[in-house]
Amino acid sequence: MIDLIREIIDARGLLPVAARTLTPNANLYDAGFSPFAAIQLTLALEEARGVEFPRQMLRRQSFSSLDSIAACLERVERKAA
């Protein structure tokens, strides 16, 4: 899951550094992630996995690290199954 998130971040240039160089718990916002990048990542993940993030998950804390994004995506996929 984290590999997919890293691939999308890097393919779309959503960070000024390569996502593969960051630890799973690194703060993405400290690394240069922006609210607009979070929106782009959300849409790309929804498209790639065929799910939709609920509104209550669309907050800064949910997208603060690779781990937190993966956890949210896993919860969404469990509910969709």
Side-chain angles (χ1 to χ4, degrees), residues 38-55:
I39 293 168
Q40 289 181 300
L41 179 59
T42 300
L43 295 172
L45 288 170
E46 288 178 341
E47 183 179 326
R49 302 299 283 194
V51 296
E52 185 174 330
F53 285 92
R55 186 175 180 180

Side-chain angles (χ1 to χ4, degrees), residues 19-60:
R20 68 183 177 281
T21 65
L22 301 173
T23 62
N25 63 347
N27 187 308
L28 295 178
Y29 291 98
D30 288 347
F33 203 54
S34 70
F36 183 66
I39 293 168
Q40 289 181 300
L41 179 59
T42 300
L43 295 172
L45 288 170
E46 288 178 341
E47 183 179 326
R49 302 299 283 194
V51 296
E52 185 174 330
F53 285 92
R55 186 175 180 180
Q56 65 269 19
M57 272 190 193
L58 302 178
R59 55 182 203 220
R60 185 179 178 105

